[in-house]
């Protein structure tokens, strides 16, 4: 019952995993940048009401 459990192509699997992680990170960063730009545009369009200093 001696079986070898070594993967056939470890280098390719590691490389593809790194590629997937890189692309996911890049997509996430782009999405977050777009979100911050949208929030900035929304904030610029709203007038300030000064609700903070009531009281």
């Amino acid at each position: 019952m001696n079986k070898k459990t070594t993967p056939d192509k470890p280098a390719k699997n590691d490389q593809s995993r790194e590629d997937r992680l890189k692309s996911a990170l890049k997509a996430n960063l782009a999405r977050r940048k777009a979100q911050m730009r949208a929030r900035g545009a929304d904030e610029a369009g709203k007038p300030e009401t000064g609700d903070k200093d009531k009281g």
Side-chain angles (χ1 to χ4, degrees), residues 4-51:
K4 290 184 179 180
T5 57
T6 58
D8 293 337
K9 299 176 184 174
K12 186 177 180 183
N13 289 340
D14 290 341
Q15 185 64 32
S16 63
R17 180 177 185 268
E18 284 187 23
D19 290 341
R20 285 195 314 268
L21 289 175
K22 283 180 186 179
S23 63
L25 181 63
K26 190 173 181 178
N28 188 18
L29 184 61
R31 185 171 56 247
R32 290 179 62 159
K33 281 184 178 182
Q35 188 179 41
M36 289 303 291
R37 286 188 197 114
R39 285 183 183 171
D42 288 345
E43 292 294 323
K46 294 180 181 179
E48 294 203 18
T49 58
D51 290 336

